[in-house]
Every structure is written in C-alpha cells, then in structure tokens.
Amino acid sequence: MALRIEREAAAGVALVTLDRPAKLNAIDLETAGELTSLWRGLRFDEAVRAVVLTGAGTRAFCTGIDRGVEVPQPPSPYAVDDPLLRIGPKANDLWKPVIAAVEGMACGGAFYLLGEAEFVVASREATFFDPHTTYGMVSAYEAMAMAQRMPYGEVARMALMGTAERLSAERAYTVGLVSEVTEPGGAVAAALRAAAVIAGCPTEAAQGTVRAVWASKEAARTQAMAQAPALIALGNLPPERQAELFGARGGGGEPRVR
C-alpha cells in the first residue's frame, strides 16, 4: 500500500499520508488507483467529516508522477491519457473538506492534489515549483490548477521558470497559495487542528460550503482543462528527449528560492 490512513474517531478527522518517502512520495499507477479508491470510499464513511492529506517524511509532500511509470498514449494529437486526473477528491465526487499539509517539496503533479484541497498549510521549509518546461513538457493541468489559487503572473512565472526557481512557503503565503505557515515539522499538526474545528461543524453545512466555493471556479477550470490534451500532445518533446533532459538536471546548479 502506498497510502497510510489514520482515523481520529473522536474528532471525525482522517489523516491520509502518501507513503513513498524513498521516491519523494511520487505517484505511480498503483498509488493513483489507491487515491481514487480512497476518495470514493470516504464518501460513504460517515465517521470522517474532514481530511488532512500529507506526504511521509520531511523531504517532499509529493513530486508528481513517478518518472518510472510508462503510460501508453493514443496516437491522436487531441487525446492524452493522464493517470493523475482522477487522484483528487473533487474528481471523485467527495465534498468533505480536505486540507493539504506540506513539508518539503511540492511540485509538478502534486498540484493536482493541492488544486483540489480546500486550503494548504505549509512548513516554513516547504517549496513549490513546476519542472515541466525544463524537461520539455507542457505545464497544462498543473498550471491550470494553480491558476485557480494564485495570481496569473505568479503561476506563469512558476510554470515557465521550471526547476530554476522555487516558491518559498512565505512567498506562497503572500500570494494566497498557502493559508498558514508553520515551523518545520508542524504542518500536519496545524492542519489537524483546523480539520477538527471544521469536523465539529454540522456536516451538511460544511460539505455544502465546499461545494459552493468549488462551484465558483468550476466552470472556468473545466473549460480550461478541455484544452489541455491537445496542448500537451502538440507541445511535449518525445519521451526519450524528455528523459535526456531529466538525466541532465544536475547541470543547472541549485535552484533559486524566492
């Protein structure tokens, strides 16, 4: 199992941990399937009224899709099979509040999860970045998810700078991606405290509020995401060229954190 689930029955909160620390909590096909099953199962679990999502260890919340995963693609330039499209709670019709607790790196495909959380709590040492352009890939779904949470210029800069620059937790707080910054190691505890408060509210009211807030941005997000498959198919380099760029990633020096 690539997920760890701990339930605090008295508080009505579940702590979900991406448990692949040796892989920086990157998501392979098995993990993607487990996330889908988890969210769908939680729809029926009346004892859980709020969820905290985090990653094991302190190095990374999640670094997106595991580079070792091979996903066969259809030959049409207008169709892309993306195994991460169904890993978030909203994609699985779960309207219980979800809070993300970030320690370490959150990058690339992690934004599918952050984009479907109600809000993000981050350690002071957390960083956010989008490596796609560095490796010859279009940042489509990821940038679209972040465009719902951050100003346009901040999203564009993060997506276009690739691995050369990382957004600090303080900067992420300033631009609205993060709602609370904690001391190192404190993100989960802070998120659990917030989740317990939310779980103490009448569940119908909390879930209705989640649905209402999501509805405020759902139409624009859906329209944008409809364009993503063609943009990815037309703009991505061939996989072998991406692998070459990924293998040479150490040549650019340490990324700048702002």
Side-chain angles (χ1 to χ4, degrees):
M1 295 289 288
L3 296 182
R4 212 168 359 105
I5 306 167
E6 303 165 66
R7 289 173 168 81
E8 295 190 6
V13 175
L15 174 62
V16 176
T17 304
L18 297 168
D19 196 14
R20 304 186 76 218
K23 292 286 188 177
L24 299 177
N25 299 316
I27 298 172
D28 60 7
L29 297 182
E30 178 186 358
T31 309
E34 287 183 26
L35 282 165
T36 296
S37 297
L38 167 77
W39 302 129
R40 297 194 69 80
L42 284 176
R43 295 183 307 156
F44 299 94
D45 190 341
E46 295 186 25
V48 173
R49 299 184 296 279
V51 181
V52 172
L53 174 66
T54 193
T58 59
R59 295 178 63 199
F61 166 77
C62 175
T63 53
I65 195 163
D66 191 320
R67 291 291 300 184
V69 170
E70 291 188 11
V71 183
Q73 295 296 327
S76 170
Y78 301 101
V80 176
D81 283 348
D82 188 332
L84 302 188
L85 280 176
R86 303 294 296 180
I87 65 171
K90 308 301 184 298
N92 290 285
D93 200 35
L94 178 73
W95 302 104
K96 298 181 180 183
V98 176
I99 303 169
V102 178
E103 299 274 356
M105 296 181 289
C107 63
F111 297 161
Y112 288 72
L113 294 169
L114 298 186
E116 293 194 18
E118 271 49 74
F119 55 89
V120 179
V121 176
S123 156
R124 181 165 43 81
E125 295 182 347
T127 57
F128 304 83
F129 64 102
D130 189 342
H132 281 74
T133 56
T134 298
Y135 304 137
M137 295 178 285
V138 174
S139 178
Y141 292 113
E142 297 82 1
M144 290 170 184
M146 290 298 97
Q148 303 293 319
R149 311 201 77 122
M150 297 164 60
Y152 174 89
E154 294 292 335
V155 176
R157 177 167 179 149
M158 182 169 64
L160 292 170
M161 293 292 285
T163 60
E165 186 173 273
R166 298 185 180 186
L167 200 68
S168 67
E170 287 81 3
R171 182 62 183 169
Y173 176 79
T174 299
V175 301
L177 173 59
V178 167
S179 68
E180 180 180 355
V181 178
T182 74
E183 290 303 308
V188 169
L192 286 171
R193 286 193 295 270
V197 171
I198 295 169
C201 298
T203 186
E204 293 83 358
Q207 291 189 39
T209 300
V210 168
R211 191 67 187 89
V213 174
W214 185 256
S216 71
K217 62 181 182 180
E218 188 172 24
R221 184 176 184 272
T222 300
Q223 290 178 8
M225 289 178 66
Q227 300 183 47
L231 296 173
I232 293 169
L234 294 172
N236 277 16
L237 292 178
E240 59 274 13
R241 180 60 180 142
Q242 293 178 28
E244 290 175 14
L245 293 173
F246 187 78
R249 68 190 184 280
E254 286 298 312
R256 172 178 176 268
V257 178
R258 68 180 182 100

mmCIF file of all heavy atoms in Angstrom, residues 196-215:
data_model
loop_
_atom_site.group_PDB
_atom_site.id
_atom_site.type_symbol
_atom_site.label_atom_id
_atom_site.label_comp_id
_atom_site.label_asym_id
_atom_site.label_seq_id
_atom_site.Cartn_x
_atom_site.Cartn_y
_atom_site.Cartn_z
ATOM 1 N N ALA A 196 -10.152 19.527 12.759
ATOM 2 C CA ALA A 196 -11.009 19.196 13.894
ATOM 3 C C ALA A 196 -12.078 20.264 14.107
ATOM 4 O O ALA A 196 -13.230 19.949 14.432
ATOM 5 C CB ALA A 196 -10.171 19.025 15.160
ATOM 6 N N VAL A 197 -11.696 21.519 13.922
ATOM 7 C CA VAL A 197 -12.686 22.600 14.035
ATOM 8 C C VAL A 197 -13.769 22.435 12.967
ATOM 9 O O VAL A 197 -14.971 22.518 13.242
ATOM 10 C CB VAL A 197 -12.000 23.977 13.909
ATOM 11 C CG1 VAL A 197 -13.049 25.085 13.813
ATOM 12 C CG2 VAL A 197 -11.078 24.222 15.084
ATOM 13 N N ILE A 198 -13.328 22.196 11.736
ATOM 14 C CA ILE A 198 -14.280 22.049 10.628
ATOM 15 C C ILE A 198 -15.168 20.828 10.833
ATOM 16 O O ILE A 198 -16.388 20.876 10.599
ATOM 17 C CB ILE A 198 -13.516 21.948 9.292
ATOM 18 C CG1 ILE A 198 -12.778 23.262 9.010
ATOM 19 C CG2 ILE A 198 -14.467 21.608 8.147
ATOM 20 C CD1 ILE A 198 -11.787 23.178 7.868
ATOM 21 N N ALA A 199 -14.569 19.718 11.286
ATOM 22 C CA ALA A 199 -15.345 18.493 11.506
ATOM 23 C C ALA A 199 -16.369 18.665 12.608
ATOM 24 O O ALA A 199 -17.358 17.923 12.668
ATOM 25 C CB ALA A 199 -14.405 17.336 11.838
ATOM 26 N N GLY A 200 -16.160 19.646 13.496
ATOM 27 C CA GLY A 200 -17.116 19.905 14.558
ATOM 28 C C GLY A 200 -18.349 20.660 14.099
ATOM 29 O O GLY A 200 -19.327 20.767 14.846
ATOM 30 N N CYS A 201 -18.326 21.181 12.893
ATOM 31 C CA CYS A 201 -19.493 21.873 12.347
ATOM 32 C C CYS A 201 -20.480 20.850 11.779
ATOM 33 O O CYS A 201 -20.082 19.734 11.415
ATOM 34 C CB CYS A 201 -19.062 22.832 11.236
ATOM 35 S SG CYS A 201 -17.942 24.135 11.768
ATOM 36 N N PRO A 202 -21.752 21.179 11.667
ATOM 37 C CA PRO A 202 -22.702 20.268 11.020
ATOM 38 C C PRO A 202 -22.203 19.873 9.638
ATOM 39 O O PRO A 202 -21.847 20.739 8.829
ATOM 40 C CB PRO A 202 -23.989 21.087 10.962
ATOM 41 C CG PRO A 202 -23.882 22.015 12.143
ATOM 42 C CD PRO A 202 -22.429 22.386 12.209
ATOM 43 N N THR A 203 -22.153 18.578 9.382
ATOM 44 C CA THR A 203 -21.507 18.086 8.165
ATOM 45 C C THR A 203 -22.174 18.581 6.885
ATOM 46 O O THR A 203 -21.517 18.860 5.893
ATOM 47 C CB THR A 203 -21.426 16.548 8.179
ATOM 48 O OG1 THR A 203 -20.667 16.106 7.061
ATOM 49 C CG2 THR A 203 -22.806 15.906 8.153
ATOM 50 N N GLU A 204 -23.508 18.696 6.908
ATOM 51 C CA GLU A 204 -24.198 19.167 5.706
ATOM 52 C C GLU A 204 -23.790 20.596 5.355
ATOM 53 O O GLU A 204 -23.611 20.944 4.184
ATOM 54 C CB GLU A 204 -25.714 19.091 5.886
ATOM 55 C CG GLU A 204 -26.263 17.680 5.992
ATOM 56 C CD GLU A 204 -26.162 17.123 7.409
ATOM 57 O OE1 GLU A 204 -25.631 17.831 8.298
ATOM 58 O OE2 GLU A 204 -26.613 15.979 7.611
ATOM 59 N N ALA A 205 -23.637 21.425 6.393
ATOM 60 C CA ALA A 205 -23.247 22.810 6.155
ATOM 61 C C ALA A 205 -21.825 22.892 5.622
ATOM 62 O O ALA A 205 -21.526 23.674 4.702
ATOM 63 C CB ALA A 205 -23.371 23.618 7.445
ATOM 64 N N ALA A 206 -20.920 22.081 6.188
ATOM 65 C CA ALA A 206 -19.524 22.106 5.740
ATOM 66 C C ALA A 206 -19.399 21.626 4.302
ATOM 67 O O ALA A 206 -18.739 22.268 3.476
ATOM 68 C CB ALA A 206 -18.668 21.238 6.665
ATOM 69 N N GLN A 207 -20.066 20.516 3.983
ATOM 70 C CA GLN A 207 -19.963 19.993 2.626
ATOM 71 C C GLN A 207 -20.648 20.919 1.616
ATOM 72 O O GLN A 207 -20.169 21.087 0.494
ATOM 73 C CB GLN A 207 -20.566 18.591 2.558
ATOM 74 C CG GLN A 207 -19.740 17.556 3.305
ATOM 75 C CD GLN A 207 -20.225 16.141 3.060
ATOM 76 O OE1 GLN A 207 -20.608 15.792 1.945
ATOM 77 N NE2 GLN A 207 -20.192 15.318 4.097
ATOM 78 N N GLY A 208 -21.754 21.528 2.022
ATOM 79 C CA GLY A 208 -22.414 22.475 1.129
ATOM 80 C C GLY A 208 -21.548 23.684 0.841
ATOM 81 O O GLY A 208 -21.517 24.205 -0.281
ATOM 82 N N THR A 209 -20.791 24.117 1.854
ATOM 83 C CA THR A 209 -19.885 25.240 1.658
ATOM 84 C C THR A 209 -18.740 24.867 0.725
ATOM 85 O O THR A 209 -18.355 25.653 -0.153
ATOM 86 C CB THR A 209 -19.333 25.723 3.012
ATOM 87 O OG1 THR A 209 -20.423 26.135 3.832
ATOM 88 C CG2 THR A 209 -18.361 26.872 2.844
ATOM 89 N N VAL A 210 -18.187 23.665 0.912
ATOM 90 C CA VAL A 210 -17.146 23.190 -0.003
ATOM 91 C C VAL A 210 -17.665 23.191 -1.437
ATOM 92 O O VAL A 210 -17.000 23.667 -2.363
ATOM 93 C CB VAL A 210 -16.679 21.770 0.397
ATOM 94 C CG1 VAL A 210 -15.816 21.159 -0.703
ATOM 95 C CG2 VAL A 210 -15.906 21.819 1.702
ATOM 96 N N ARG A 211 -18.882 22.679 -1.610
ATOM 97 C CA ARG A 211 -19.454 22.603 -2.971
ATOM 98 C C ARG A 211 -19.684 23.997 -3.540
ATOM 99 O O ARG A 211 -19.456 24.241 -4.736
ATOM 100 C CB ARG A 211 -20.777 21.827 -2.929
ATOM 101 C CG ARG A 211 -21.312 21.455 -4.321
ATOM 102 C CD ARG A 211 -20.376 20.452 -4.965
ATOM 103 N NE ARG A 211 -20.720 20.177 -6.350
ATOM 104 C CZ ARG A 211 -20.271 20.860 -7.400
ATOM 105 N NH1 ARG A 211 -19.497 21.918 -7.223
ATOM 106 N NH2 ARG A 211 -20.583 20.528 -8.617
ATOM 107 N N ALA A 212 -20.113 24.929 -2.706
ATOM 108 C CA ALA A 212 -20.383 26.290 -3.176
ATOM 109 C C ALA A 212 -19.101 26.989 -3.615
ATOM 110 O O ALA A 212 -19.051 27.624 -4.677
ATOM 111 C CB ALA A 212 -21.066 27.097 -2.074
ATOM 112 N N VAL A 213 -18.043 26.861 -2.794
ATOM 113 C CA VAL A 213 -16.776 27.500 -3.147
ATOM 114 C C VAL A 213 -16.209 26.891 -4.420
ATOM 115 O O VAL A 213 -15.713 27.604 -5.305
ATOM 116 C CB VAL A 213 -15.770 27.377 -1.980
ATOM 117 C CG1 VAL A 213 -14.406 27.898 -2.394
ATOM 118 C CG2 VAL A 213 -16.265 28.145 -0.764
ATOM 119 N N TRP A 214 -16.296 25.570 -4.532
ATOM 120 C CA TRP A 214 -15.791 24.905 -5.741
ATOM 121 C C TRP A 214 -16.576 25.346 -6.973
ATOM 122 O O TRP A 214 -16.008 25.549 -8.051
ATOM 123 C CB TRP A 214 -15.876 23.396 -5.567
ATOM 124 C CG TRP A 214 -15.275 22.622 -6.710
ATOM 125 C CD1 TRP A 214 -15.940 21.974 -7.697
ATOM 126 C CD2 TRP A 214 -13.878 22.425 -6.980
ATOM 127 N NE1 TRP A 214 -15.069 21.380 -8.565
ATOM 128 C CE2 TRP A 214 -13.785 21.643 -8.147
ATOM 129 C CE3 TRP A 214 -12.707 22.831 -6.343
ATOM 130 C CZ2 TRP A 214 -12.566 21.260 -8.706
ATOM 131 C CZ3 TRP A 214 -11.487 22.450 -6.891
ATOM 132 C CH2 TRP A 214 -11.426 21.673 -8.054
ATOM 133 N N ALA A 215 -17.882 25.520 -6.831
ATOM 134 C CA ALA A 215 -18.719 25.926 -7.966
ATOM 135 C C ALA A 215 -18.303 27.285 -8.498
ATOM 136 O O ALA A 215 -18.465 27.573 -9.692
ATOM 137 C CB ALA A 215 -20.194 25.948 -7.552
#
